[in-house]
């Protein structure tokens, strides 16, 4: 962990906060995997385990008026954005107390109050939506940034190119964040794209763009902060490519025949949480007692969210049309 060269001031309390935020996401998702095998959480489940530094680092750069769009791997983004864990867990359970009244589940966590616009299941589907909101912000002369997270698999879709093109052409206040974990389901980037540096594709459209170590939360926060300042100054869109890795399969059903276990283990050893923890410990900033306190606090919050979700109701049948048909005004 190198904190020296970063322009954002990182004090130890801040580093511990980042550590806790990442751990909270990690443990939440580990619990979700457990609940999935017990069939308490149903449907699709795509875990973000290994990539936590990206969501946590980028969210640090945002203010409450900024907006966020993400993919189906968005539980971590939702938690890092400040949605309550109860709401997120209840949504996983399909309960009415969930962020989308239990109608969306894992892939469709949504919260207007937090300006968290999904949870989008379509690869690259969020990019045009985010560009639309950024255009609205620009037309209304708002300074707010729209952030759009997507996987590197999205670059194979036309929406990626159309979105970057229009964002640059219209100089929109948008930050594209590519979570480059090297694989789109079982397809390695290395065997599917001639240009494997996603930031260079963005530069070809004229965007300010760079790649960072997506396993280093400090580096991600620093780069995202610089870009958000630039965007708020009216200097146009930016793209941040975060090189990262998912430690688990694409979803809960994945035999992972497309990669070697040695590769997974190597990435795990340089994971975002272990990396920051080791740095704090090596510098005498985190002792076992404090680590246990943090672990216990996280576990308590997760257990409470499971209790909340389990004791919540599913939507009443009489309310099933809520939000489906507009009410008549006459
Ligand atoms: C338009 C579209 N095509 C195909 C799919 C099926 N699909 C779901 S996830 C995925 C891979 C996406 O990989 P990437 O964008 O790199 O994100 P990651 O899952 O690695 O986070 C595909 C092809 C889809 N959801 N939407």
């Amino acid at each position: 962990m190198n904190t020296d060269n970063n322009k954002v001031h990182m004090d130890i309390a801040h580093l511990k906060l980042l550590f806790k935020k990442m751990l909270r996401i990690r443990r939440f998702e580990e619990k979700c995997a457990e609940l999935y095998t017990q069939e308490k959480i149903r449907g699709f489940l795509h875990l973000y385990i290994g990539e936590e530094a990206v969501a946590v680092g980028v969210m640090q750069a945002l203010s409450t008026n900024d907006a966020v769009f993400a993919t189906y791997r968005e539980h971590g983004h939702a938690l890092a954005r400040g949605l309550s864990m109860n709401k997120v867990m209840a949504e996983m359970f399909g309960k009415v107390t969930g962020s989308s009244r239990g109608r969306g589940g894992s892939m469709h966590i949504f919260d207007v109050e937090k300006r968290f616009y999904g949870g989008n299941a379509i690869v690259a589907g969020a990019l045009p939506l985010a560009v639309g909101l950024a255009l609205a912000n620009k037309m209304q002369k708002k300074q707010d940034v729209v952030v759009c997270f997507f996987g590197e698999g999205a670059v194979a879709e036309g929406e990626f190119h159309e979105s970057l093109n229009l964002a640059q052409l219209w100089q929109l206040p948008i930050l594209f964040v590519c979570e480059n974990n090297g694989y789109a389901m079982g397809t390695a980037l290395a065997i599917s794209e001639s240009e494997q540096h996603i930031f260079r594709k963005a530069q070809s459209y004229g965007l300010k763009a760079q790649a960072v170590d997506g396993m280093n939360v400090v580096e991600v926060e620093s780069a995202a902060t610089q870009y958000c300042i630039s965007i708020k100054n009216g200097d146009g869109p930016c793209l941040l490519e975060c090189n990262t890795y998912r430690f688990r399969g694409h979803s809960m059903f994945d035999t992972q025949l497309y990669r070697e276990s040695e590769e997974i283990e190597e990435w795990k050893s340089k994971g975002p949480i272990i990396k920051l923890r080791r740095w704090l410990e090596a510098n005498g900033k985190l002792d076992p007692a404090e680590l246990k306190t943090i672990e216990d606090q996280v576990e308590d919050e997760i257990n409470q969210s499971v209790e909340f979700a389990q004791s919540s109701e599913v939507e009443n049948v009489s309310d099933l049309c809520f939000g489906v048909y507009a009410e008549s005004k006459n």
Side-chain angles (χ1 to χ4, degrees), residues 51 71-73 121-123 150-154 157 179 181 183-185 246 250:
E51 306 185 33
T71 67
Y72 42 82
R73 207 179 289 291
I122 305 300
V123 173
F150 57 94
E152 84 293 340
E157 299 287 342
E179 304 182 311
N181 62 21
Y183 294 92
M185 298 183 87
R246 62 169 158 73
H250 168 74

Side-chain angles (χ1 to χ4, degrees), residues 313-328:
E313 302 294 329
V314 291
E315 176 119 59
N316 275 329
V317 172
S318 58
D319 292 333
L320 281 182
C321 289
F322 175 86
V324 177
Y325 300 107
E327 278 186 38
S328 166

Side-chain angles (χ1 to χ4, degrees), residues 121-313:
I122 305 300
V123 173
L127 280 93
L129 303 177
V131 166
L133 186 57
L135 176 61
N137 281 349
K138 178 154 184 170
M139 290 171 79
Q140 292 169 50
K141 303 201 182 330
K142 290 183 182 163
Q143 297 291 311
D144 311 325
V145 173
V146 176
V147 176
C148 184
F149 293 89
F150 57 94
E152 84 293 340
V155 307
E157 299 287 342
E159 283 104 323
F160 169 81
H161 302 274
E162 292 157 2
S163 298
L164 265 62
N165 178 53
L166 289 180
Q168 176 66 13
L169 185 67
W170 296 335
Q171 286 293 285
L172 301 182
I174 182 164
L175 172 63
F176 296 101
V177 179
C178 178
E179 304 182 311
N180 185 353
N181 62 21
Y183 294 92
M185 298 183 87
T187 305
L189 183 68
I191 59 162
S192 57
E193 289 286 325
S194 53
E195 174 53 80
Q196 287 150 29
H197 295 291
I198 312 302
F199 75 95
R200 289 199 189 136
K201 292 180 190 280
Q203 286 172 340
S204 78
Y205 287 104
L207 276 83
K208 205 185 276 184
Q210 64 174 308
V212 293
D213 177 2
M215 293 300 194
N216 184 331
V217 67
V218 174
E219 203 176 313
V220 174
E221 178 181 351
S222 175
T225 302
Q226 300 300 314
Y227 274 174
C228 284
I229 293 169
S230 163
I231 293 166
K232 285 188 197 237
N233 275 342
D235 293 338
C238 301
L239 182 142
L240 191 61
E241 176 183 353
C242 300
N243 291 308
T244 183
Y245 199 80
R246 62 169 158 73
F247 295 169
R248 303 272 185 128
H250 168 74
S251 67
M252 294 301 282
F253 306 102
D254 183 357
T255 46
Q256 302 191 63
L257 298 176
Y258 51 87
R259 59 184 188 177
E260 302 294 332
S261 55
E262 291 79 13
E263 181 185 292
I264 303 173
E265 292 312 311
E266 195 193 326
W267 275 94
K268 278 187 181 171
S269 70
K270 51 186 182 191
I273 299 177
I274 190 83
K275 199 165 169 168
L276 183 52
R277 192 184 112 185
R278 281 201 194 116
W279 187 92
L280 288 166
E281 287 171 345
N283 288 277
K285 306 296 181 193
L286 186 66
D287 59 37
E290 192 177 2
L291 178 61
K292 183 166 183 328
T293 305
I294 296 172
E295 292 263 11
D296 289 349
Q297 286 169 348
V298 167
E299 199 182 319
D300 284 351
E301 190 188 5
I302 291 167
N303 289 339
Q304 279 169 28
S305 75
V306 175
E307 270 174 46
F308 174 80
Q310 257 167 344
S311 60
S312 293
E313 302 294 329

